[in-house]
Amino acid sequence: MKILVGILASVAAALSHGAEPAIDNDRVTATDTTEVLPPAPHDFVAVSLSKLGTAHFGHKGDKPGKAGERMVIVELKDHAEAPIANTSGLPLAFPRPHAKKLIDNAKVVVWDYTWHPGEPSPMHFHDKDTLVVYEATGALQSTTPDGKATVNDNKFGDVRFNRRDRSHTELLVRGEGHAVITELK
């Protein structure tokens, strides 16, 4: 019941400030806003879309956001899932080339990552759920170990949630590729 009340309070607070959640699931609520939101009911990660490649960690009770600065506020719900064992034989998704660690604490690891044309990421395994905030417009081809390829178009400000327990490589096939990626612990 407390979880449900917390979720409803988060959504109501965001909606009252004109910001509809981009993602709302059992792990996170992600809101794209240019306003200061009410005190957060959970710890959160704030990803700036005004100062690219940056993020900061905020605590329950802090007021997320800055007036006039576009940010994605990622509220971390009280539904932790431990990383799963990597039995794939592949390296974990992070660290990897072109990734810069921004935050590492008991709840998240946040990475600033840039894809480069013609340079696929190493084939890797995701042991954690991830929330991706795209800071560039482009298309990424995701290829699984069995060779199945899917192209995903992303635009500046898009927010995506990806569940753990998946393996793939990524290749920038069009435009630019840059994101702040939050791994949930």
Side-chain angles (χ1 to χ4, degrees):
M1 185 62 155
K2 287 182 181 180
I3 292 172
L4 180 59
V5 170
I7 291 169
L8 292 174
S10 296
V11 171
L15 290 175
S16 71
H17 279 76
E20 186 173 323
I23 303 285
D24 189 15
N25 61 33
D26 60 331
R27 303 286 320 268
V28 298
T29 297
T31 305
D32 186 340
T33 185
T34 57
E35 304 289 326
V36 176
L37 298 179
H42 303 96
D43 290 345
F44 62 90
V45 174
V47 178
S48 176
L49 289 172
S50 300
K51 299 174 186 168
L52 302 184
T54 64
H56 77 270
F57 188 82
H59 297 281
K60 177 180 178 177
D62 293 348
K63 289 185 175 184
K66 290 184 182 177
E69 183 176 332
R70 186 172 175 201
M71 296 186 137
V72 174
I73 306 301
V74 183
E75 288 189 44
L76 307 170
K77 296 181 182 176
D78 298 325
H79 184 86
E81 292 181 6
I84 57 175
N86 180 3
T87 59
S88 70
L90 298 170
L92 292 177
F94 294 97
R96 63 171 114 156
H98 310 299
K100 176 183 171 190
K101 189 185 297 183
L102 301 175
I103 300 168
D104 188 357
N105 62 32
K107 294 191 174 188
V108 296
V109 183
V110 181
W111 302 91
D112 176 30
Y113 184 67
T114 302
W115 290 267
H116 294 271
E119 187 179 334
S121 68
M123 183 67 71
H124 57 268
F125 175 77
H126 288 272
D127 67 330
K128 301 172 197 71
D129 292 341
T130 60
L131 186 125
V132 183
V133 177
Y134 288 94
E135 297 187 334
T137 297
L140 295 171
Q141 177 177 291
S142 174
T143 305
T144 58
D146 64 2
K148 182 180 177 189
T150 304
V151 175
N152 297 297
D153 290 303
N154 304 294
K155 66 181 188 306
F156 181 89
D158 280 353
V159 180
R160 302 271 193 275
F161 184 83
N162 299 305
R163 293 281 178 192
R164 63 194 183 151
D165 197 14
R166 59 194 173 86
S167 299
H168 65 139
T169 183
E170 302 148 335
L171 176 65
L172 179 65
V173 294
R174 187 170 53 255
E176 297 180 10
H178 183 235
V180 171
I181 301 169
T182 301
E183 292 186 297
L184 305 173
K185 293 184 180 178

